[in-house]
Amino acid sequence: MTLDRRLVAEWLGTFSLLATVVGSGIMAERLAGGNVAVALLGNTIPTGAILVVLITIFGPVSGAHFNPAVTLSFALRQQITSRDAVLYTGVQIFGGIAGVLAAHVMFEHPLIDPSMTARTGIGQWMGEFVATFGLIGTILACLKARPQAVPMAVGLYITAAYWFTSSTSFANPAVTIARGFSNTFAGIAPADIGAFIAVQLLAAGLATVFFGWLLEDGADA
């Protein structure tokens, strides 16, 4: 695929992902009657489901990264050029922000409404490390063993990670930035974004190295 088509696919995929994450968060919170567990479940299922759809339809076009951490991993593996990785990251970030704004319009929420939800501390950072490390591992191992299962594997992993990580598994710098624009159920305070992104990128780099070693062809028995 030409670069322009790949970039449009990355923009539209990330747009759709964030519209789903934030839109389902707003809907879930409104319908949950104050039950946070029910609201989280209502946010989780659409997110996992849309990932299966988006990766299935856009995978053949752009690789369906929708995530600068995934793009970093592929760049480290020299499966995408540095220039294309930068461009992917840019359209992912802007696509994510546009998706949040679209969700705000759909639910008649203030268009620009920075989040006030604090997400910080060792526990949250460890949650993001685990979530991102596992996401990259899921993608790389699945590409090695059963590439056609990547959409389902990623959707199921994120569905699970919403519940077993303390941070509810952002695992994506573009998602993290975009959710800073939304003072809703899925939001994160802008002041907490930098630490999340640092941990996500560190985890992505380490996971790439580790799984590159673990899955290396011809490794000694």
Side-chain angles (χ1 to χ4, degrees), residues 47-209:
T47 301
I50 200 64
L51 279 168
V52 176
V53 174
L54 294 175
I55 297 171
T56 298
I57 64 176
F58 290 125
V61 182
S62 67
H65 296 190
F66 315 139
N67 183 340
V70 174
T71 299
L72 171 63
S73 178
F74 279 77
L76 291 173
R77 291 164 56 86
Q78 299 184 335
Q79 294 176 326
I80 183 174
T81 67
S82 298
R83 185 199 67 157
D84 287 1
V86 170
L87 293 173
Y88 266 44
T89 299
V91 297
Q92 289 158 2
I93 292 171
F94 285 108
I97 294 171
V100 169
L101 300 183
H104 286 179
V105 172
M106 286 191 288
F107 287 93
E108 299 182 355
H109 189 84
L111 190 62
I112 304 295
D113 190 20
S115 177
M116 298 179 66
T117 303
R119 299 180 187 265
T120 188
I122 297 297
Q124 294 272 318
W125 301 333
M126 178 57 74
E128 278 305 290
F129 184 92
V130 170
T132 309
F133 191 95
L135 174 62
I136 299 300
T138 297
I139 293 169
L140 297 183
C142 210
L143 285 172
K144 176 78 171 181
R146 193 178 173 191
Q148 66 273 24
V150 170
M152 185 63 69
V154 171
L156 288 173
Y157 176 81
I158 291 299
T159 298
Y162 255 75
W163 288 85
F164 77 75
T165 63
S166 55
S167 62
T168 66
S169 183
F170 286 42
N172 183 331
V175 165
T176 305
I177 292 169
R179 287 167 70 165
F181 285 81
S182 187
N183 191 29
T184 60
F185 184 77
I188 176 174
D192 298 332
I193 288 174
F196 263 46
I197 291 176
V199 171
Q200 291 160 358
L201 295 179
L202 174 62
L206 291 176
T208 302
V209 173

Side-chain angles (χ1 to χ4, degrees), residues 38-53:
V38 172
L40 181 60
L41 184 63
N43 194 201
T44 301
I45 294 173
T47 301
I50 200 64
L51 279 168
V52 176
V53 174

